[in-house]
Amino acid sequence: MTHLFTTSIIKTVKRSTEIDAPGNSQPSCVVLNSGLLPEDGPAYQFLGKILRAVDVSLEKDTLLLQIETQEKAPQFIQFKSEISPCPVLCFGIRPEVLNLHMNPLPFLAFRFLEFDWIFSDSLDVLEKDVKKKKLLWDAMKVLFRRESE
């Protein structure tokens, strides 16, 4: 797996597409998460369910970047050049943490720097809040419909 960052604050999930098809390692979705997600934990399972709702596999199609500490998070520009434009879902991450100069509304799909974005509350907060889950679902329908066009 190509590591996009050299810092220890980022942990990536190895995607099986990198094993199955070495020439096709571009993710169809990037997920930035505040904190670590143990693969057997409820937040990881919840994220998988969210992505499956739009026909995206967490294990096969997604580059999951787990940011342990937001004070030392990488700038978006560090990985923008490494991947093709695709949806970027941010859970518990604010744009300024990635050195992005924008002020997006949460749960609203929008395009910025050739990528489609959704900023959301953390997975723990989302899992317990039906209204926020609906807002996320509505934004994801817009974002992933746009991707299929």
Side-chain angles (χ1 to χ4, degrees), residues 16-108:
S16 63
T17 53
E18 293 171 337
I19 298 166
D20 299 337
N24 186 20
S25 63
Q26 287 294 317
S28 61
C29 181
V30 173
V31 173
L32 295 162
N33 186 70
S34 176
L36 300 181
L37 295 174
E39 289 186 34
D40 60 349
Y44 186 88
Q45 301 303 318
F46 180 57
L47 177 57
K49 183 178 176 182
I50 290 169
L51 294 170
R52 279 191 305 274
V54 289
D55 295 324
V56 174
S57 167
L58 177 55
E59 291 78 18
K60 294 180 181 179
D61 304 323
T62 305
L63 176 61
L64 173 58
L65 302 175
Q66 302 178 72
I67 301 174
E68 291 181 62
T69 172
Q70 294 194 21
E71 289 78 28
K72 296 180 181 178
Q75 296 181 7
F76 175 68
I77 200 73
Q78 286 179 280
F79 65 90
K80 178 184 182 287
S81 62
E82 300 286 333
I83 57 175
S84 298
C86 63
V88 180
L89 307 175
C90 299
F91 295 100
I93 304 283
R94 295 290 311 142
E96 58 271 12
V97 170
L98 303 169
N99 200 30
L100 294 173
H101 303 287
M102 62 173 149
N103 192 20
L105 295 173
F107 308 107
L108 180 67

